[in-house]
Amino acid sequence: MSSPSLSCVVITMGDRPAELGRALQSLHDQDGDPIEVVVVGNGSDVSDLPPGVRFLRLPENVGIPAGRNAGAAETTGDLLLFLDDDGWLSQRGTAERIRAAFAGDPRLGVVSLRIVDPDTGETQRRHVPRLRVGDPLRSSAVTTFLGGASVVRRQAFEQAGGLPDAFFFAHEETDLAWRVLDHGWDIRYDAGAVMCHPATSPARHDVYFRLNARNRVWLARRNLPLPLVPLYLGVWVLLTVARNRDAHALRTWCRGFLEGWRTEPGPRRPIGWGTVWRMTRLGRPPVI
């Protein structure tokens, strides 16, 4: 059985050169065949890249999904590894583990890596793509994945249409995941495939609450059967209000929610009811 080739897309704003260097070194140090690497400068220039690493400069910051799509289009591998510039592969055998997983399962479309804080060795709850998180060290089939620590089979990526460019940031992985599942592919969280990344909160980004809400609406409008759209969004309104005590953040979230209804989310291709049932059996129906 031949081993699939692996390409990696690393997006950077050019403001973390030391971290980027560490990420690239971890890719170079992987066992097995060399990994094709493309660094995408999202509106920025990058200098002093190692030999063999290609650079793609985008004229402006187009956001995470569009940046990853642009980088993927410049690669040739059977598998697409997406890595944040401040993350790195701490184990030399990770690439070979990933290749073997895809080679052994022709229906495997996505592998979500386990993200570990390098200082504590812990995995944040939000980094385990299960509704009932349980033990982060337990691998399982899942219905979504972590974008900056994932490997996607190119065939599945292209069949599903790639990541939604307009999302800019937030929920783009779930949009792709639902469409990958709808095309019959599997998604797996592999606790043994580790990526190191400092523990952070997505709310550190100024636009987090607005885009989180807008893209949640876009996600539903693009992908869900019509009867599930109000149910899914109603659940998330209730959860957001219950979880958040910051009035400013809630106002920002509400503005984003309204923006999601007032703006065009992109092509609508609702997943089938068979996919809805499959997601339900996997423990996460698309209503939460």
Side-chain angles (χ1 to χ4, degrees), residues 25-49:
Q25 186 64 47
S26 77
L27 295 170
H28 177 270
D29 291 344
Q30 288 296 298
D31 296 335
D33 294 335
I35 300 172
E36 178 189 36
V37 181
V38 172
V39 172
V40 178
N42 221 346
S44 63
D45 290 306
V46 177
S47 58
D48 300 325
L49 289 175

Side-chain angles (χ1 to χ4, degrees), residues 69 82 109-110 143-145 147 150 152-153 156-164 167 171-183 187 219 222-223:
N69 284 340
F82 295 110
V110 183
T143 63
T144 189
F145 61 95
S150 62
V152 186
R153 192 186 295 270
F157 186 81
E158 294 178 348
Q159 193 174 48
L163 293 157
F167 276 44
H171 306 312
E172 69 273 6
E173 308 99 329
T174 302
D175 186 274
L176 177 59
W178 288 2
R179 287 179 285 115
V180 164
L181 289 170
D182 200 49
H183 281 91
I187 303 174
L219 176 69
R222 282 166 54 89
N223 296 291

Side-chain angles (χ1 to χ4, degrees), residues 189-220:
Y189 168 67
D190 184 356
V194 174
M195 187 203 82
C196 283
H197 189 283
T200 56
S201 167
R204 71 191 186 278
H205 299 291
D206 292 339
V207 297
Y208 168 77
F209 289 102
R210 180 178 69 86
L211 295 187
N212 181 282
R214 184 199 68 180
N215 292 357
R216 183 80 69 183
V217 177
W218 280 2
L219 176 69

Side-chain angles (χ1 to χ4, degrees), residues 143 178-186 223-225 228 270-286:
T143 63
W178 288 2
R179 287 179 285 115
V180 164
L181 289 170
D182 200 49
H183 281 91
W185 299 97
D186 296 330
N223 296 291
L224 288 181
L228 294 185
I271 60 176
W273 286 104
T275 304
V276 172
W277 175 237
R278 182 183 176 203
M279 293 171 69
T280 302
R281 287 189 290 111
L282 288 171
R284 188 155 198 164

Side-chain angles (χ1 to χ4, degrees), residues 88-127:
W88 70 98
L89 303 181
S90 59
Q91 301 171 346
R92 296 178 64 101
T94 300
E96 284 289 79
R97 179 187 180 96
I98 290 167
R99 292 187 186 103
F102 281 94
D105 184 353
R107 296 312 305 167
L108 183 60
V110 183
V111 167
S112 188
L113 282 62
R114 180 166 64 93
I115 301 177
V116 173
D117 179 78
D119 296 324
T120 66
E122 296 180 354
T123 297
Q124 289 182 283
R125 188 184 193 282
R126 69 185 183 90
H127 285 156

Side-chain angles (χ1 to χ4, degrees), residues 75-97:
T75 64
T76 61
D78 303 314
L79 309 176
L80 295 165
L81 167 63
F82 295 110
L83 191 66
D84 287 342
D85 64 354
D86 56 346
W88 70 98
L89 303 181
S90 59
Q91 301 171 346
R92 296 178 64 101
T94 300
E96 284 289 79
R97 179 187 180 96

